[in-house]
């Protein structure tokens, strides 16, 4: 083999390895998104359950998951429903991730949605005669396309991505569609397993390609993005406007590249929002003034920049810009929420990817729990620690950035941190004690009595979940701090760790209201 052929061969092998690794990480993110969405369902059931059933569910969720977090969640939901064990369809529903890709089709480049059923950890029970019916349904409820997957789909098929079929849009009109998945087997009749939204939007890929997307970081993508930025007015080629655009484009990239869908995602709205920001920059205007409603923005984090990822110099933060824009918002207290990092189990076993929890998951959990449903506060949610050199430093920088961007009451600022976020919040609250007046530490973080004694404006509340490995030490530290009169342990709601922020939301809100009262 010549040297040139050897270089080419090695280059192809390296490229294949990189692409294979990227695909494996994307699959891992879909697997984690399946668990995250099921935790939201568990939270809904938890909020509606009796105290007795809550205790049973918390005990179930605290057990080691033996490598299958989905079965643990199904068992916890069964306990909330008053059942000793989940039915087979519930186990199947919990175990299957549905890949309906691309999420946005244009009818030309992408004339069909390809549906793949995948069991990331396999099926924990044997199901004889398992088959699936797939339906592509339009906004009027009409079936546009359908397919059947076998009369005996096996565990190996579901683990190795062999349960797959295309559903063509054919002559369907553009609009919103759903992929509906039904299962049937010898032991149960046809039952709904999952629903995945998809969109038929002609021109979407071309419009997305006109944005400065980076996606896989290929030379072509980077060159295109650089050209778009270079064509902007000189004053807009750096600074907060371009930082915002990067975060908005990040949402478009998610749908374009097949990343997992997040709560509140809307590809049409996200694309229009990114296009509007780019046009504002081209017109030499500040795109921040055009934002409406809840938006995930990016906030500079300076010396505490992330070690890796596309947004290395920024943290993703979800804020509510109001129906009339930031300029029309009234002055309010600020609550910054910092969730824990992605984890499979209570022992902090983590997925290989994602490294950080996107704010959308926490925003949706708080919404379901009715946290600040009256809009009394500025509730901001940042991504979890995981890719920052200093988690507490990143929290401090985000806090300062929000105070510059939002009309914040400087005397009423509080932080809420969960697990790793709790440790970051505890340190940030101490370092910013003159500016932070309250902190809630959920299943992580501690402030000593001596530290509290030297920071007169700061008050701390602890929320501790059932079965937490450090429960005893957290309770002991909380009681020691409470002796100062400026720390307290929130009422025990019997919450499992995996839905802690939502389950503790009511007691967290009560503590914050007491701190914010005139």
């Amino acid at each position: 083999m010549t040297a040139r052929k050897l270089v080419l061969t090695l280059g192809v092998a390296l490229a294949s390895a990189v692409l294979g690794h990227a695909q494996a990480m994307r699959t891992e993110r879909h697997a984690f998104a399946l668990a995250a969405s099921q935790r939201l369902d568990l939270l809904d059931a938890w909020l509606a359950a009796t105290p007795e059933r809550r205790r049973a569910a918390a005990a179930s969720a605290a057990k080691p998951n033996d490598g299958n977090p989905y079965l643990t969640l199904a068992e916890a939901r069964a306990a909330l429903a008053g059942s000793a064990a989940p039915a087979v369809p519930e186990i199947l529903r919990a175990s299957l991730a549905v890949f309906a890709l691309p999420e946005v089709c244009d009818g030309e480049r992408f004339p069909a949605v390809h549906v793949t059923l995948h069991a990331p950890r396999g099926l924990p029970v044997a199901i004889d005669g398992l088959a699936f019916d797939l339906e592509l349904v339009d906004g009027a409820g009409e079936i546009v396309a359908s397919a059947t997957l076998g009369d005996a789909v096996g565990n190996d098929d579901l683990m190795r991505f062999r349960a797959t079929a295309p559903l063509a849009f054919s002559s369907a009109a553009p609009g919103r569609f759903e992929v509906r998945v039904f299962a049937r087997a010898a032991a149960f009749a046809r039952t709904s397993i999952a629903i995945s939204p998809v969109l038929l939007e002609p021109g979407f890929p071309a419009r997305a390609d006109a944005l400065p997307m980076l996606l896989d970081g290929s030379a072509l993508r980077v060159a295109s993005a650089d050209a778009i930025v270079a064509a902007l007015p000189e004053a807009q080629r750096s600074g907060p406007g371009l930082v915002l655009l990067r975060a908005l484009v990040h949402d478009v990239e998610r749908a374009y590249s097949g990343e997992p869908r997040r709560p509140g995602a809307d590809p049409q709205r996200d694309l229009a929002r990114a296009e509007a920001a780019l046009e504002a920059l081209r017109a030499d205007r500040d795109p921040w003034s055009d934002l409406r409603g809840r938006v995930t923005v990016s906030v500079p984090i300076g010396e505490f920049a992330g070690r890796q990822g596309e947004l290395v110099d920024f943290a993703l933060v979800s804020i509510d810009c109001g129906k009339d824009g930031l300029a029309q918002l009234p002055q309010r207290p600020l609550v910054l929420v910092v969730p824990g990092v992605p984890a499979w189990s209570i022992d902090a076993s983590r997925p290989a990817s994602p490294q950080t929890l996107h704010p959308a998951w926490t925003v949706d959990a708080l919404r379901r729990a009715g946290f600040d449903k009256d809009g009394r506060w500025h509730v901001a949610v940042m991504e979890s620690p995981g890719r920052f050199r200093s988690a507490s430093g990143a929290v401090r920088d985000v806090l300062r950035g929000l105070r510059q961007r939002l009309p914040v009451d400087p005397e009423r600022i509080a932080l809420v941190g969960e697990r790793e976020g709790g440790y970051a919040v505890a340190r940030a609250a101490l370092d910013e004690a003159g500016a932070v007046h309250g902190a809630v530490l959920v299943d992580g973080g501690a402030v000593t009595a001596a530290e509290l004694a030297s920071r007169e404006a700061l008050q701390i509340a602890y929320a501790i979940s059932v079965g937490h490995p450090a429960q005893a030490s957290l309770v002991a530290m909380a009681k020691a701090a409470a002796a100062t009169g400026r720390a307290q342990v929130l009422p025990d709601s019997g919450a499992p760790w995996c839905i802690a922020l939502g389950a503790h939301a009511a007691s967290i809100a009560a503590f914050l209201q007491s701190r914010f009262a005139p």
Side-chain angles (χ1 to χ4, degrees):
M1 181 180 291
T2 65
R4 183 173 182 273
K5 285 185 177 180
L6 177 61
V7 169
L8 288 174
T9 301
L10 291 174
V12 170
L14 178 60
S16 298
V18 170
L19 290 173
H21 177 74
Q23 182 60 40
M25 292 300 97
R26 183 177 294 117
T27 300
E28 181 83 341
R29 290 191 288 274
H30 276 276
F32 181 76
L34 175 63
S37 64
Q38 290 178 14
R39 288 169 183 169
L40 292 175
D41 293 340
L42 179 64
L43 175 61
D44 286 341
W46 169 270
L47 294 170
T50 64
E52 181 180 2
R53 291 184 177 181
R54 286 182 175 185
R55 285 191 293 272
S60 179
K63 295 186 303 183
N65 63 39
D66 297 325
N68 192 328
Y70 312 111
L71 180 59
T72 301
L73 290 167
E75 291 172 341
R77 286 196 301 272
L80 289 172
S83 300
V88 172
E90 288 301 319
I91 294 175
L92 183 60
R93 187 176 292 114
S95 302
L96 280 183
V98 178
F99 293 73
L101 301 173
E103 185 180 329
V104 184
C105 300
D106 62 352
E108 295 181 5
R109 195 190 312 184
F110 305 109
V113 57
H114 290 259
V115 182
T116 301
L117 307 183
H118 174 54
R121 300 293 185 272
L123 300 182
V125 295
I127 306 177
D128 293 333
L130 180 60
F132 296 94
D133 298 323
L134 312 178
E135 295 177 353
L136 180 62
V137 180
D138 65 17
E142 297 294 325
I143 298 175
V144 173
S146 62
T148 295
L149 299 179
D151 291 324
V153 177
N155 194 38
D156 201 46
D157 298 319
L158 294 170
M159 292 188 71
R160 295 179 179 275
F161 304 93
R162 292 200 293 252
T164 183
L167 297 175
F169 289 93
S170 301
S171 59
R176 297 179 184 272
F177 294 75
E178 290 179 344
V179 171
R180 299 179 181 176
V181 181
F182 301 87
R184 47 191 166 82
F188 59 86
R190 189 175 189 260
T191 184
S192 175
I193 294 297
I195 297 176
S196 292
V198 292
L199 186 68
L200 179 59
E201 178 76 4
F204 183 96
R207 290 169 60 191
D209 284 335
L211 295 170
M213 294 197 299
L214 295 178
L215 294 173
D216 57 0
S218 67
L220 186 62
R221 284 288 180 190
V222 172
S224 175
D226 288 346
I228 292 171
V229 172
L232 296 174
E234 185 174 356
Q236 302 296 346
R237 293 174 195 166
S238 62
L242 193 61
V243 171
L244 172 63
L245 177 63
R246 186 72 204 101
L248 300 181
V249 170
H250 190 62
D251 285 337
V252 179
E253 290 174 335
R254 182 207 62 77
Y256 187 99
S257 61
E259 291 292 332
R261 189 180 181 93
R262 297 187 286 260
D266 183 335
Q268 288 175 310
R269 179 207 62 202
D270 295 341
L271 176 60
R273 188 180 275 163
E275 289 176 328
L278 180 57
E279 287 307 308
L281 291 174
R282 285 171 172 162
D284 211 6
R285 292 190 298 105
D286 180 11
W288 285 83
S289 61
D290 296 330
L291 297 179
R292 299 292 184 273
R294 185 158 284 280
V295 185
T296 297
V297 301
S298 46
V299 176
I301 52 175
E303 64 180 295
F304 305 110
R307 291 186 296 271
Q308 54 188 295
E310 297 170 0
L311 300 170
V312 293
D313 298 321
F314 314 100
L316 292 175
V317 185
S318 173
I319 62 173
D320 189 347
C321 302
K323 62 183 180 65
D324 297 315
L326 292 169
Q328 301 303 315
L329 289 175
Q331 188 182 69
R332 293 174 180 150
L334 171 64
V335 179
L336 174 59
V337 181
V338 188
V341 302
W344 289 122
S345 62
I346 197 168
D347 61 4
S349 171
R350 299 179 184 175
S353 186
Q355 290 185 322
T356 183
L357 188 70
H358 191 278
W361 296 102
T362 306
V363 167
D364 199 45
L366 295 175
R367 178 191 63 79
R368 292 173 185 234
F371 186 78
D372 191 37
K373 62 181 179 181
D374 298 325
R376 297 167 294 176
W377 312 323
H378 294 302
V379 178
V381 179
M382 68 177 284
E383 62 178 294
S384 66
R387 64 181 188 91
F388 306 121
R389 292 191 179 94
S390 167
S392 61
V395 172
R396 294 198 304 270
D397 279 356
V398 167
L399 182 60
R400 292 167 187 162
L402 292 174
R403 294 178 68 187
Q404 294 172 0
R405 198 53 79 171
L406 296 170
V408 174
D409 182 341
E411 301 300 320
R412 295 189 291 176
I413 296 175
L415 305 175
V416 178
E418 176 200 30
R419 292 184 287 115
E420 296 84 0
Y423 289 99
V425 158
R427 294 302 97 193
L430 292 172
D431 293 340
E432 298 285 328
V436 176
H437 305 89
V440 181
L441 310 180
V442 182
D443 293 340
V447 175
T448 67
E451 288 170 328
L452 269 180
S454 63
R455 295 162 175 83
E456 297 180 359
L458 181 62
Q459 290 204 20
I460 301 292
Y462 292 84
I464 304 169
S465 299
V466 171
H468 193 284
Q471 185 175 11
S473 60
L474 287 173
V475 170
M477 287 187 289
K479 288 182 177 179
T484 65
R486 288 191 289 110
Q488 60 181 278
V489 180
L490 297 181
D492 180 9
S493 64
W497 72 276
C498 56
I499 57 169
L501 278 176
H504 290 295
S507 58
I508 292 173
F511 168 75
L512 295 176
Q513 185 59 32
S514 70
R515 293 297 299 135
F516 292 156

